Amino acid sequence: EVEHNGQKITFLDTPGHEAFTSMRARGASAADIAILIVSAEDGVKPQTLDALKAITDAKVPYFIGASKIDRPNADIEKTKQSLAENSIYVEGYGGDISLIPFSGKTGDGVEDLLDMILLMADVADIKAEFDIPAECLVIESSRDKVRGIQATLIVRNGTLKVGSYIVSGGQISPIRSIENYEGKQLKEALPGQPVRVMGWIAEPRVGDMCTMAVDKDIAE
């Protein structure tokens, strides 16, 4: 989770290897905007096309992030050509998909990438309500010997609050603890925030939507 120009952006990273197809599909369904990462050194790979299919199937607006521009063999024009050869047409190459060159190592182009996210969010009019019970998407869940069942959620809408209840898969669980991505305790989580929630009666399924209720009667 980063802050840029006074606005918070949550990044949900999914592995590039083709073995992680289902994880990428979940990531695309959780996202408001997708960044298709392509190496400026290597161009389009099979997993690039796999990731694009997940994005287009989820009907998520996206742009291209051309990474590793700090590498000696990086070639943006060659990358654009590689994309075009795979029917991905960026601006200047017969299409309207934006391409932002950047380096995760040096930070070059990262400001442009963040600007593009905010611009696309504005154009797509992505909004959420704050004053309603939260609706969340489960992106990870696990069992811990000490902490019990814990799950990582993205708050899609509304505000998630400690002391309320969460309904998932027909199970009602008290929300005993909410942590942000740094492990800091929160009293509540707002739309777009990634949080870890403890207190589950049963392990929620990854990809499920869950709903908050302010008390047990409403939850039931």
Side-chain angles (χ1 to χ4, degrees):
E1 190 177 35
V2 301
E3 191 164 319
H4 183 64
N5 292 345
Q7 298 189 62
K8 287 187 176 180
I9 303 169
T10 294
F11 284 90
L12 180 61
D13 185 30
T14 58
H17 194 276
E18 60 190 343
F20 296 99
T21 301
S22 62
M23 192 180 289
R24 268 198 299 279
R26 289 198 299 271
S29 66
D32 296 309
I33 294 165
I35 309 170
L36 181 66
I37 303 295
V38 181
S39 167
E41 230 184 359
D42 304 321
V44 173
K45 295 279 194 173
Q47 57 264 35
T48 311
L49 301 177
D50 190 38
L52 179 61
K53 185 178 186 304
I55 292 167
T56 53
D57 285 353
K59 296 181 172 62
V60 179
Y62 76 99
F63 66 96
I64 309 289
S67 66
K68 302 180 182 178
I69 59 170
D70 56 283
R71 299 285 182 89
N73 295 326
D75 188 332
I76 293 299
E77 289 307 310
K78 192 175 176 182
T79 302
K80 290 179 180 179
Q81 187 176 334
S82 175
L83 288 162
E85 287 167 359
N86 287 276
S87 303
I88 305 168
Y89 302 105
V90 301
E91 291 169 345
Y93 266 71
D96 58 1
I97 302 166
S98 298
L99 182 144
I100 306 293
F102 76 99
S103 166
K105 187 175 181 180
T106 66
D108 287 350
V110 171
E111 289 281 318
D112 296 333
L113 187 142
L114 296 174
D115 285 340
M116 179 57 69
I117 293 169
L118 295 184
L119 175 63
M120 288 186 71
D122 192 41
V123 169
D125 197 29
I126 295 167
K127 293 178 180 177
E129 294 184 72
F130 286 72
D131 57 352
I132 61 170
E135 297 170 356
C136 307
L137 182 73
V138 181
I139 58 172
E140 288 179 340
S141 66
S142 62
R143 289 177 182 267
D144 183 270
K145 288 181 180 178
V146 177
R147 308 176 85 186
I149 301 169
Q150 51 190 5
T152 303
L153 313 176
I154 295 285
V155 181
R156 298 290 288 156
N157 208 17
T159 300
L160 188 68
K161 298 180 180 182
V162 170
S164 53
Y165 291 81
I166 199 158
V167 182
S168 174
Q171 298 286 342
I172 298 169
S173 304
I175 302 174
R176 295 199 178 97
S177 171
I178 300 174
E179 294 179 352
N180 71 2
Y181 74 102
E182 295 176 312
K184 293 178 180 176
Q185 293 287 325
L186 303 176
K187 290 184 179 180
E188 61 181 29
L190 302 175
Q193 274 194 287
V195 289
R196 184 176 288 117
V197 174
M198 270 72 74
W200 301 86
I201 300 300
E203 192 170 338
R205 293 186 307 175
V206 171
D208 276 3
M209 288 295 293
C210 48
T211 308
M212 189 197 93
V214 293
D215 60 46
K216 199 169 184 181
D217 288 343
I218 294 173
E220 288 171 345

